[in-house]
Amino acid sequence: MQETIIEVNNLRKIYGKKNEKQYEALKAVNFSVKDGEFVGIMGASGSGKTTLLNMLATFDKPTSGSVKIKGEEIAKLKGNALADFRASRIGFIFQDFNLLENLTAAENIGLPLSLQGVSAKRIDAIITKVASELGIFELLKKYPSELSGGQKQRVACARALVHNPAILFGDEPTGALDSKSARELLELMSEVNKNMGTSILMVTHDAFSASFCKRIIFIKDGRIERELIREDNQNRSNFYQEVLDLLGTFEQ
Amino acid sequence: MLQKLAVNGIKNRWKDYLVLFSGLVISSSIFYLFETLSTNGRYLKENGAIVSMIGYIFAFGSILLTLITLVYINYANNFLLSMRQRDYGLFMMLGARKGKIGQLIWIETMLIGFLSTVVGVIVGIVLSTGMQNIVIKSLGLTARYYAPIWWKAILWTFILYLGLFFLAAIYNTFLMTRKPALKLLKSQQKAAKKQLPMWMQFIQALIGIILLTIGYGVIQNAVKYGSKTIPISLFTITFGTFFVFNSIVTVGISLLRKTNLAKKNLNGFTLGQLEFRVHDYTKILTVVTMLLALALGAITTGIGFNNITDKTAEAQSAYTFGLFQPTSKQRTLIKKLDIEQQSSYSYKVSGNAVYFEETQFEKQPFQTVKFNSKSFTSSYAKLSVAELKKDSYPLQKFTESIQPNRQVVLVDAQKFTAIQGQQQTALFFRAKDTPDAQSILSQISNLEYAKSKQKDRTDAIQGNYDAKIYVVKPLYSGLEFMGIFLGIAFLAMLASCLMFKILSGAFEDVRRYSMLAKLGVRKSLLQGAIAKEIGILFVLPAVVGVVHVLIGLNLFKGILINPYYGIWLPFTIFAVLYLLYYFIVLFMYQRIVLKKI
Ligand SMILES: Nc1ncnc2c1ncn2[C@@H]1O[C@H](COP(=O)(O)OP(=O)(O)OP(=O)(O)O)[C@@H](O)[C@H]1O
Ligand SMILES: [Mg+2]
């Protein structure tokens, strides 16, 4: 029996202050993610995907309800505890990469380790290891401005993974990539998920990216509408077709 | 339509524009302040009489300030461009014509330039009026012929600023219409510049050190180089400072980045920030260093003139006052003073001489003063009767006011009684010259002057107090005013330079720091990183600037006797102000950058 890594209960998010115009972006969301799962979140634009992810990744606070990561209620985290939680438990890949342009790829990747007080020697060793695994060893000395979009996203992926987070979040990580780079990144993430056992939760728009997941949660108007699970023996292109079909019915 | 969009862009970023605008206003108002002194020939001549090179000093000060203004406006313009490039790039992508865009950016640049200069001059006039009143009142100085509203200064400020903005507008138009729209759109994603090779850095450092050595050498031998001292030293020290910063700081940062220290906490990030901006920073570091040196130097010298005023007066004689036939009013006033030494002699006036009795001088010897220029202290020596008989000038100095053109003669008691004429008293005393005592001393002085037979008050100097008020102070107070005035002006310029540079970077940093927060960096670490990054901008110029000042003070050896005397006072005041300013800037920066974290 796998243990649960994320548990979401009755999560609600209302944007806008009391006296302003309010908008309920999430309405009573419930779901959980098991350790080592690769979960996709899909839904139309404005359905609340980013809102949900931001709350799971501790970037935003829920209006009500609870989110537990590894049993820890994250809404209760504040200040240093919150920062340390982010630094040790969470990895995040953004749509627009969000690399620090004043640091080289290697320095970007090593930053989470520096923050945890890992020794310089070990940092170098880990960077080398992760970079070789992700095939970006040659890029380590370069600055983000000297990298292509796909390369940047791989560096960002390496940065999100160096510190062995319990869970990796991605908000449309392939959104700014061409199809070749997108496929490379997704294969990379699948490998990471399989080999390192890192749980992944990824928001995505397109069925192709979603077909790499093992489970897909569909959101509509702030509610979970459906779930789709890839059978153990089901191959990816088959699952891709299933997702496409479902999206077709979903949109009607 | 496009105009509307452009104006809208300004509205959305009014905070950034406020930073830009206020920076420019401060800069132009200070330039105006400086020019009210520098272009007022009569004022300089009247007040700077003992500094033969005063005109020169100000001419080169103007040149230096112009250079600083150049760097400043260059920054301001880059700031403006960085704000607008994206907007205009976007308009172009949407199909706006290049000619129209060029026109818009031209108008925008000129408008900002014109408005900030006009406001700057008005602020400058207000400041110089206020400064004149405050400095003159609080320090009891006189600055004859100084005029806060000075048309020449207005003219020069307009010529310089509008000229520079005209150039900037042309440059901006050129840039906007030549660069492809895509480049403009992506202008924010700048890459770090490639570093120069090591040997080039080494040569730069070498040139820098040679230039500094030359500059320092020329200052040490100012007498030899005469009027060439100022231009040579200004040129060599300014560029020497720049080269040293540009090489040593750049290399230092990149070396530090390779050490293990860079892999600890946010050090790597801070060093990355610094290296990323170092090319910008070396210029600002140079400017801040020079301004700091000028401000600290000017204030130190100004206070130096204040010290020397008291010390010079103290060295005029051994007595605060020599009173002849003191009135009862004077005697009651004296009782309120803190008397250190006092003696009273009888005298008679007969024919062409003033007679004193020598036995009285044996019992209470007459004193003279000796001034030690090294320790800046006065010591007193007792004159024997024989010495006084040989040279009666120390005593004669005092009788000239009441008994002009009469010889002072010392006679024995027998002769003294034989002399016809009324026996009168002369009272000499030395009192503590405290601020509280000033009004009493002034009353005594006026009462004494009422008895005088001299027309000119400077011929009726009855001791050190009169000497201070009527001879020494008028000589130095113009210079003291100048020093303190310039010191404050340079300090304000320095403050605005630092503030401007730092805040203009703050807006770029918001994204970076929020990124770091998302990576899980503790807030205290973020604050520490900011404190370090800004600290560097404060510490480096402070260290180099203080060295410049310590060496530059040699220039004033001739006038100030010992320019290093009492420098702890201005240095401490300066350090406190500087530190305070650091915390203000730090606080503002953290508020901007960490607001949402
Ligand atoms: N800060 C905010 N203030 C007010 N409303 C917001 C805010 N952020 C999002 N919303 C609203 O909440 C809803 C959900 O937004 P969200 O960003 O989660 O959508 P999404 O599913 O990620 O869409 P997309 O696929 O386009 O990225 C939208 O209707 C949006 O307008
Ligand atoms: Mg989204």
Side-chain angles (χ1 to χ4, degrees), chain A residues 15 23 25 44-51 172 205:
Chain A
Y15 283 117
Y23 181 83
S45 184
S47 57
K49 304 182 296 291
T50 301
T51 306
E172 301 193 30
H205 247 102

Side-chain angles (χ1 to χ4, degrees), chain A residues 59 80 83-84 86-87 94 98-104 107 111-112 114-115 117-118 120-121 123-124 143 145-146 152 159, chain B residues 189-192 194 257 260 263-266 268-269 272-273 275-276 511-512 515-525:
Chain A
F59 296 162
N80 287 344
D84 293 349
R86 283 179 188 166
F94 301 85
N98 263 327
L99 294 174
L100 293 158
E101 66 270 57
N102 49 17
L103 297 181
T104 62
E107 287 165 335
L111 196 60
S114 305
L115 293 173
V118 179
K121 226 174 163 181
I123 292 180
D124 287 336
Y143 283 93
S145 60
E146 299 162 319
K152 270 187 235 181
R159 185 180 64 185
Chain B
Q189 306 161 7
K190 277 179 288 183
K194 280 272 168 287
R257 233 180 141 176
N260 287 343
K263 295 208 170 68
K264 216 167 154 242
N265 289 333
L266 278 184
F269 173 77
Q273 286 271 79
E275 183 156 10
F276 207 60
R511 208 181 49 76
R512 287 183 198 147
M515 181 65 227
L516 286 173
K518 281 185 176 168
L519 285 179
V521 183
R522 289 178 176 205
K523 194 164 179 180
S524 55
L525 267 185

Side-chain angles (χ1 to χ4, degrees), chain B residues 25-37:
Chain B
V25 166
I26 294 175
S27 151
S28 52
S29 63
I30 287 161
F31 188 80
Y32 174 83
L33 275 189
F34 185 83
E35 291 298 298
T36 55
L37 291 184

